[in-house]
Amino acid sequence: MTTAIIGLGNMGKGLAQRLSGQTPLLLASRNPDDAAALAITLSGAQGVSVEAAIEGADIVVLALGYDAALSVAALPQLVGKIVVDLTNPVLPDFSGLQIGHTTSAAEEIQKVASGARVVKGFNTIFAGLFATDRAATSTVPVFLAGDDQDALSAVAALVEKASFVPESVGGLDGARLLEPLAMLNIRMGYGLGKGTSRAPTWTEVAA
């Protein structure tokens, strides 16, 4: 399946590098030159416009801020696509979330992209993990939430190609839990100075 990554900040660029050679990639950015420059360094990647990236992809990753992701979600080219929302709707000063508990960024994006199938994913990990050795993240969970099982399966396969472990939390309303979890990780990593080489995980304790 062809994957489009819209937005080439730290998360988008890092994910593209992890997926290089694992799946066909279409890269798009506000600056087309940035997308073209990154694409030539990766295997199986092309730098194209946002519209062309969406039209040519099976899976579209919104590696954008929340407000920008909402704008892209309104594009008609997304109808029928699987959309991965990795946004966290943080306040400008990173002190908390703009929305939460009764809705989520993922659910709001799904409302706008009504003809797409939205899956929340990759929002609980720091971009720095993409730069580590693949073996170092092979047991790190990427939590997924979505209402469409086929879309969840497709995104789970993408997670595995990026050398992480997919962990489903159920329907898209599970994003109401994942976004505060990401905020906790941000607070620990930045606010409490514990660094960005961390990710939330679940541990099963034997009885």
Side-chain angles (χ1 to χ4, degrees), residues 89-98 183 186-187 190-191:
V90 296
L91 293 168
D93 63 357
F94 288 86
S95 63
L97 298 172
Q98 299 177 41
M183 190 68 243
I186 291 168
R187 172 172 289 192
Y190 288 107

Side-chain angles (χ1 to χ4, degrees), residues 130-188:
F130 292 126
T132 63
D133 186 85
R134 294 178 68 89
T137 62
S138 62
T139 60
V140 173
V142 166
F143 298 103
L144 303 177
D147 293 331
D148 185 284
Q149 288 303 312
D150 289 340
L152 279 169
S153 296
V155 178
L158 193 70
V159 168
E160 292 174 343
K161 289 177 181 177
S163 196
F164 291 86
V165 178
E167 186 74 50
S168 175
V169 302
L172 195 61
D173 62 350
R176 302 178 192 182
L177 305 176
L178 295 182
E179 291 167 14
L181 178 61
M183 190 68 243
L184 175 62
N185 203 35
I186 291 168
R187 172 172 289 192
M188 293 181 69

Side-chain angles (χ1 to χ4, degrees), residues 50-116:
V50 171
E51 290 78 7
I54 295 172
E55 288 175 354
D58 303 291
I59 300 175
V60 178
V61 180
L62 300 181
L64 300 161
Y66 172 54
D67 291 335
L70 278 176
S71 296
V72 173
L75 293 175
Q77 292 90 342
L78 280 176
V79 172
K81 305 292 183 177
I82 297 170
V83 174
V84 182
D85 164 40
L86 54 71
T87 67
N88 287 308
V90 296
L91 293 168
D93 63 357
F94 288 86
S95 63
L97 298 172
Q98 299 177 41
I99 57 175
H101 303 302
T102 58
T103 187
S104 63
E107 290 168 282
E108 296 306 305
I109 287 170
Q110 179 67 87
K111 290 176 186 176
V112 175
S114 58

